[in-house]
Amino acid sequence: MKKVGFFDYEGELHRICTKVMYIVTANLLFLLFSIPVVTIGASRVAMHTLLLKCSQGEEVPLFRTFFHVFRENLKKATLLWGIMLLALTSVGINVFFSGWMDSTFTGVLHGFCAVILIVLLILWIYLFPVMAYYENTITGYLKYSMALAIAHLPQTAFMIFIQVLTVVVILLSLQFLPFAVMLVLLCGFSLPAYVSCKTVYKLFCYPELTKIG
């Protein structure tokens, strides 16, 4: 049997280039379809679908697949994203007005807001890959996402670290604005999502969680 070379069509270079193309294309499509803001949920599901296909070694028509998944999940994903956006807005308002409150109550409020932010970050990481992989109800998606996060805390901590690291790198690169813009445009959302996809996909194989919903 002939050994596949690094530069051959089925070689390692081709696989690397294919993954880079998926990551960059998924990021650009995500940004484009997220322009109305309210569609970020559906756009993120579509992005994760492409990245899941990429992590499994499948090659699919990128734009057609993205648009199909975006359209199919627009209603449910927009509702879930709307709930998350409403919760995030509420946290922001509470933190803003906490300066006029009693110091004791402010500490309690900040603690509560921190918990809400952690839950939202977990949903940002888990919810949309779950929607890309499973068919479920609104409540089922939320329960399954939180169950995965709680059942696999080391992986959850790792993916939170990746999200935070991405934000830190982008913020630090703002002093070189063209580089920061290029980073956000090419892989600012899709690269951490790809890392999360490879981690979350392995967790989908755990049968004890598949009955939730």
Side-chain angles (χ1 to χ4, degrees):
M1 183 177 181
K2 183 181 177 182
K3 184 178 179 180
V4 178
F6 181 80
F7 295 100
D8 291 346
Y9 178 76
E10 295 182 355
E12 189 63 27
L13 180 62
H14 174 74
R15 287 194 291 270
I16 292 173
C17 290
T18 300
K19 288 181 180 180
V20 170
M21 179 185 67
Y22 267 74
I23 290 170
V24 172
T25 303
N27 198 77
L28 292 172
L29 289 173
F30 169 76
L31 291 173
L32 177 63
F33 282 78
S34 296
I35 290 175
V37 179
V38 294
T39 59
I40 287 177
S43 185
R44 192 160 170 82
V45 176
M47 177 181 71
H48 273 285
T49 299
L50 292 185
L51 297 176
L52 279 171
K53 298 291 185 184
C54 178
S55 68
Q56 296 172 29
E58 298 182 34
E59 294 188 18
V60 295
L62 298 178
F63 181 81
R64 191 193 314 165
T65 302
F66 188 98
F67 183 72
H68 172 74
V69 175
F70 177 87
R71 185 179 58 188
E72 289 292 313
N73 290 275
L74 184 59
K75 186 176 180 180
K76 286 193 289 189
T78 300
L79 177 59
L80 286 166
W81 168 244
I83 294 171
M84 293 173 63
L85 195 59
L86 186 62
L88 184 62
T89 303
S90 177
V91 167
I93 292 173
N94 280 291
V95 170
F96 179 78
F97 285 105
S98 64
W100 287 272
M101 298 178 183
D102 178 77
S103 58
T104 303
F105 182 73
T106 300
V108 175
L109 179 62
H110 284 176
F112 178 74
C113 289
V115 171
I116 296 299
L117 287 176
I118 292 173
V119 171
L120 289 175
L121 181 55
I122 288 173
L123 289 176
W124 176 258
I125 293 170
Y126 279 98
L127 179 61
F128 303 105
V130 167
M131 294 186 71
Y133 197 80
Y134 290 112
E135 187 67 36
N136 211 325
T137 63
I138 297 295
T139 305
Y141 285 131
L142 293 171
K143 288 168 62 179
Y144 189 65
S145 299
M146 294 305 300
L148 276 173
I150 294 170
H152 304 283
L153 289 177
Q155 292 90 333
T156 300
F158 169 72
M159 288 185 285
I160 289 176
F161 170 75
I162 293 297
Q163 296 291 329
V164 173
L165 179 64
T166 303
V167 173
V168 170
V169 169
I170 291 173
L171 290 176
L172 290 176
S173 65
L174 285 177
Q175 55 185 321
F176 308 104
L177 191 57
F179 175 75
V181 172
M182 182 180 68
L183 191 64
V184 172
L185 287 177
L186 296 182
C187 62
F189 293 94
S190 60
L191 185 56
Y194 176 74
V195 175
S196 296
C197 267
K198 290 184 73 66
T199 305
V200 172
Y201 175 66
K202 296 175 184 177
L203 305 184
F204 289 159
C205 300
Y206 284 77
E208 68 269 19
L209 293 177
T210 55
K211 295 180 180 179
I212 294 176

